[in-house]
Amino acid sequence: MSRTGIVVFLVVCVLFVVSWVVKAGTGDPEGHYIRDGFLVTFAAFLTLAIMSFMYKDNPYYKFAEHLFVGVSAAYWMCLAFWSTLVGNLVPRISERLSNAFMVPHQPGEYNFFFYIPVILGILLLMRLSPKGGWISRWPLAFIVGTTAGLNFVRYLRSDFINQINSTFLPLAVDWQGFGHFFSNLSLNATGQFVAMFGNCVIFFGVLCGVIYFFFSKEHTGWFGRASRVGIWVLMITFGASFGYTVMGRISLLVGRLTFLLRDWLGIAS
Amino acid sequence: MTKHQRKDRHSRVGPATLLITVSVFFTASLSLAQSEPTVSDSVPVDSQAVASIAPVTSLIVEDFKYDDGEKLLLSWIPSIDDVPEVGRITGYEVYRITDGGEPEKIGDLVAGKNSYEDDGLSRESQYQYYVVALSDGGSAMSVMTAPSSPEREWINFGRTNLFLVALIIGGAIIFFIGSARRGKKLFVRKIAGLEAVDEAIGRATEMGRPILFIPGIRDMDDVQTLAALTILGRVAEQVANYDVQIRMPVSRSLVMTAARETIKAGFQTAGRPDAYNDDMVNYVTDEQFGYVAAVDGVMVREKPATVFLLGAFFAESLILAETGNSVGAIQIAGTARPAQLPFFVAACDFTLIGEELFAASAYLSGEPKALGSLKGQDVGKGIAMAAILIGVASATLAELTGWGAMTSLLEIMKGLFSSQ
């Protein structure tokens, strides 16, 4: 570690301790003020350590990264074990195991279906066996196949049938002739022109978008031109979506800054 | 007095006694009728009207169609006093009697309601229902329904159209798979991002830097992850050919297993099984941002020449794409998540948009199954385009001309493409 690195490290340590002492001093004397002061200071340190990545990779970011990865990996493993295996499976298959894990047994009719995931899970662990590794492909195939089958009907309804149904829109709305149309022409959001324009955008946008995703024909001629309109429609949609999502991310940043300025430093109300 | 004389006497006083009896009974009945409260004519004989409101009538219970035998549907004609302007009825209570047991209240409904769905029932039990109309002054109970049980239907005929569409698309897929297997060349148009794959791998070879492959953060049950792994197979083959390093941190243990299999197969196809190493794929964590932090770390430390971001991505998409961009990697991204595509379009060199990701996997693998599936889906798109054209044309003509035939055609189209 360079001299500058050591100096920065010492400064960070001193700031950490000072922050801890100050936060503990301003905490509730009847509560866990030393622990609470440490937790707030540590959370602020981790926040700043992660944010320091915007400057460049550094030891503080590495520390926060490794801590985050290690803790979350262990947490997810424990969660999967205690909620899926112990929480859902054990109470249904064995009273003795339920007592061992101190979870209430759920007696009921014998149901073979509860053992299927057990068998598939064991087969999946055969991956660890040098000779029986191929067996682990069977549960994988089962997972992929059942998911594909279940999703087929779901997507066929939501992404195909319902989408087509929603596109059955008249290109002329409240039509009473050209004279009436031009005499009442306005950009009013609830007006006839805007309604017709909206329906036209949906119709041509959907049609050209589908043409863009048609892979069995070369995109040349009128088909190619419609395809280019389709990609333009997609890009305009992406632009609007980009702005919308960025605003959501800004609100996340505001949340983090609020923690630093209000909960940690106490300089914002 | 002889018996005959007594009998004659009785026979003489009989009519007078009868007249007195009838008079007394009539008078008593009249006074009794005047003392009783007036009951509405609409109240059925067996109802128990407490206040002067009418109960619901024509209470019917029927099996809920096309379910697993867990639901009954109740319907009735609301009380004649259920008039919004008058507001005498404040609501309804629905009661259920299971197997002749005690009544149990199962629903509180607002005034104006005329139906109720009772869910979570057993096919082995008998259920009876009655509805109580409520007012501020009292209540009125309807007749009780006959015992009934829910029934299970094995086939949902309400989704026949869905079945037909699935049959057509499925049939087309099977047909095209068969055609591809028989050796017929199936045309698939060029996809821009795919032509960059070989170039990107070549660039990594020239620069002596690794390739980073990120398969999204979803598990093997997501079709996008499957598409990403199919593309990985092709990439792994090229990686083995060019003798370049590949790194693949994953966030799901099953994906790690499948990815190792895929890369191993790719190396074997390239004739270099000895170059394969299990450490090419490593599990990080299931936690979304923990995974992102680790991948970002890998990017800035190992500075990969090429980054593949293919699969299902969520809020981490822009973080990963921006970090990859900052280290100067050529990035090829693809996802079917509409909300994340804008970030990939903005920050990556090539983006496979939506279905292009699945098409790419078929195009690269060249397998009859994948190609046939792609062509079959194009049949589905053809159906969609034709249906939209017919539907919009009929709706527009119906609006412009008012032709009944066009309105009927529109209704038929809406019926065909309805998922009720």
Side-chain angles (χ1 to χ4, degrees):
Chain A
M1 191 183 280
S2 67
R3 183 176 294 175
T4 313
I6 294 169
V7 171
V8 171
F9 177 71
L10 289 174
V11 169
V12 168
C13 287
V14 169
L15 284 176
F16 188 93
V17 173
V18 169
S19 168
W20 185 4
V21 170
V22 171
K23 291 305 290 182
T26 55
D28 181 8
E30 294 179 3
H32 302 282
Y33 56 97
I34 294 176
R35 188 198 65 184
D36 292 347
F38 174 79
L39 289 178
V40 170
T41 305
F42 194 54
F45 166 73
L46 290 177
T47 303
L48 292 172
I50 290 288
M51 284 180 170
S52 70
F53 185 72
M54 286 188 284
Y55 170 61
K56 68 173 188 179
D57 192 29
N58 61 74
Y60 304 101
Y61 175 76
K62 282 180 188 168
F63 172 74
E65 174 201 325
H66 286 88
L67 184 73
F68 195 4
V69 170
V71 168
S72 60
Y75 171 77
W76 279 102
M77 194 201 78
C78 291
L79 193 73
F81 180 77
W82 287 102
S83 65
T84 307
L85 289 180
V86 177
N88 286 329
L89 183 66
V90 166
R92 289 184 169 90
I93 60 170
S94 166
E95 188 174 2
R96 186 177 291 179
L97 274 175
S98 300
N99 294 335
F101 283 107
M102 290 185 285
V103 288
H105 177 54
Q106 294 178 11
E109 291 179 15
Y110 173 80
N111 195 338
F112 176 72
F113 285 107
F114 292 131
Y115 287 92
I116 291 179
V118 179
I119 295 165
L120 291 175
I122 292 167
L123 291 181
L124 207 58
L125 288 175
M126 292 301 286
R127 168 83 190 162
L128 299 171
S129 163
K131 288 184 179 176
W134 60 272
I135 298 174
S136 66
R137 290 176 190 168
W138 284 91
L140 265 180
F142 178 83
I143 292 165
V144 172
T146 47
T147 310
L150 289 169
N151 283 340
F152 177 68
V153 178
R154 191 159 63 91
Y155 286 131
L156 200 63
R157 287 182 73 187
S158 64
D159 291 7
F160 191 78
I161 299 281
N162 288 351
Q163 288 274 13
I164 292 172
N165 194 301
S166 302
T167 317
F168 292 159
L169 300 167
L171 300 183
V173 181
D174 297 331
W175 189 255
Q176 294 169 40
F178 284 103
H180 178 267
F181 174 74
F182 285 112
S183 61
N184 292 293
L185 196 62
S186 78
L187 291 176
N188 188 333
T190 56
Q192 185 190 20
F193 172 74
V194 172
M196 286 172 63
F197 181 73
N199 286 359
C200 288
V201 167
I202 290 172
F203 169 61
F204 288 108
V206 170
L207 206 62
C208 294
V210 174
I211 286 173
Y212 176 77
F213 289 110
F214 201 80
F215 298 101
S216 297
K217 184 171 165 52
E218 199 69 74
H219 287 182
T220 52
W222 70 269
F223 207 74
R225 283 192 286 277
S227 165
R228 275 193 290 282
V229 173
I231 196 69
W232 271 96
V233 170
L234 287 172
M235 289 302 158
I236 292 166
T237 312
F238 290 160
S241 176
F242 188 94
Y244 179 76
T245 313
V246 166
M247 289 308 293
R249 302 295 162 79
I250 295 291
S251 72
L252 291 176
L253 177 66
V254 168
R256 224 49 232 157
L257 290 177
T258 304
F259 166 74
L260 289 176
L261 298 175
R262 187 186 63 192
D263 299 345
W264 182 45
L265 295 176
I267 58 175
S269 59
Chain B
M1 193 182 286
T2 62
K3 281 184 182 177
H4 287 285
Q5 283 173 327
R6 280 200 295 272
K7 190 178 178 181
D8 289 343
R9 190 180 169 189
H10 276 287
S11 61
R12 279 198 300 273
V13 296
T17 311
L18 185 67
L19 189 65
I20 291 164
T21 308
V22 168
S23 302
V24 169
F25 181 74
F26 183 74
T27 310
S29 302
L30 196 62
S31 61
L32 193 65
Q34 283 170 348
S35 67
E36 277 182 357
T38 307
V39 179
S40 169
D41 292 338
S42 63
V43 178
V45 177
D46 55 347
S47 71
Q48 299 170 7
V50 177
S52 56
I53 56 167
V56 304
T57 52
S58 304
L59 177 62
I60 297 168
V61 58
E62 53 191 342
D63 179 44
F64 192 84
K65 270 190 172 181
Y66 310 134
D67 70 339
D68 195 33
E70 296 171 332
K71 200 187 282 189
L72 286 172
L73 180 64
L74 277 80
S75 60
W76 58 84
I77 296 172
S79 163
I80 56 169
D81 294 316
D82 191 355
V83 183
E85 291 79 19
V86 181
R88 292 184 68 192
I89 299 292
T90 55
Y92 297 105
E93 287 177 347
V94 183
Y95 286 84
R96 178 178 66 203
I97 295 172
T98 307
D99 295 327
E102 288 296 312
E104 174 194 3
K105 189 168 88 171
I106 55 169
D108 279 306
L109 306 176
V110 294
K113 285 281 181 185
N114 64 349
S115 65
Y116 182 81
E117 287 178 8
D118 191 14
D119 206 351
L121 303 176
S122 164
R123 293 193 302 278
E124 281 75 38
S125 294
Q126 296 274 326
Y127 300 96
Q128 290 174 277
Y129 297 89
Y130 62 88
V131 178
V132 176
L134 303 171
S135 73
D136 290 332
S139 60
M141 189 183 116
S142 73
V143 294
M144 195 178 296
T145 62
S148 47
S149 300
E151 289 173 12
R152 166 191 278 173
E153 287 82 20
W154 288 94
I155 299 173
N156 186 349
F157 287 103
R159 293 185 185 171
T160 309
N161 59 339
L162 203 66
F163 174 70
L164 286 175
V165 171
L167 205 65
I168 292 169
I169 296 175
I173 289 172
I174 292 167
F175 171 77
F176 283 113
I177 288 173
S179 298
R181 280 185 174 160
R182 285 192 296 273
K184 187 178 178 185
K185 191 168 172 58
L186 299 178
F187 173 78
V188 176
R189 73 166 170 84
K190 285 180 182 175
I191 299 166
L194 288 184
E195 292 172 1
V197 170
D198 289 347
E199 183 192 328
I201 296 171
R203 182 176 184 263
T205 314
E206 287 169 6
M207 295 177 78
R209 289 192 199 163
I211 289 168
L212 193 64
F213 196 103
I214 312 295
I217 60 163
R218 293 294 291 269
D219 217 328
M220 289 301 293
D221 58 352
D222 195 301
V223 70
Q224 296 175 71
T225 312
L226 296 177
L229 291 185
T230 311
I231 296 173
L232 173 68
R234 163 77 172 181
V235 170
E237 204 179 316
Q238 292 293 85
V239 161
N241 283 330
Y242 287 118
D243 196 19
V244 63
Q245 269 191 305
I246 184 168
R247 284 290 315 272
M248 190 174 174
V250 297
S251 68
R252 306 281 169 170
S253 52
L254 280 179
V255 177
M256 180 185 75
T257 307
R260 283 179 175 170
E261 291 280 345
T262 308
I263 295 180
K264 198 174 185 178
F267 273 65
Q268 280 171 345
T269 309
R272 298 204 56 207
D274 54 306
Y276 169 76
N277 184 350
D278 268 352
D279 292 339
M280 289 170 176
V281 185
N282 67 296
Y283 169 79
V284 180
T285 173
D286 279 45
E287 167 63 37
Q288 181 186 17
F289 288 106
Y291 174 68
V292 173
V295 173
D296 277 356
V298 170
M299 281 184 185
V300 294
R301 279 159 223 152
E302 301 191 11
K303 298 204 181 331
T306 304
V307 176
F308 289 95
L309 297 160
L310 303 169
F313 290 87
F314 294 83
E316 72 285 353
S317 62
L318 186 57
I319 304 171
L320 294 173
E322 271 301 317
T323 311
N325 193 39
S326 71
V327 299
I330 185 169
Q331 297 195 101
I332 298 172
T335 185
R337 303 278 313 170
Q340 309 309 325
L341 277 166
F343 302 125
F344 284 155
V345 170
C348 296
D349 299 280
F350 298 96
T351 306
L352 300 171
I353 300 168
E355 209 188 341
E356 282 184 326
L357 175 65
F358 311 119
S361 65
Y363 186 87
L364 285 176
S365 68
E367 286 180 8
K369 281 179 193 168
L371 282 173
S373 173
L374 187 64
K375 299 291 279 190
Q377 286 170 53
D378 274 358
V379 170
K381 284 170 215 159
I383 293 171
M385 284 192 280
I388 288 170
L389 280 171
I390 295 168
V392 171
S394 58
T396 307
L397 285 173
E399 179 69 29
L400 287 175
T401 63
W403 289 346
M406 287 297 116
T407 311
S408 303
L409 180 61
L410 180 62
E411 290 305 315
I412 290 169
M413 292 302 291
K414 283 189 172 177
L416 275 174
F417 292 93
S418 162
S419 64
Q420 295 302 315

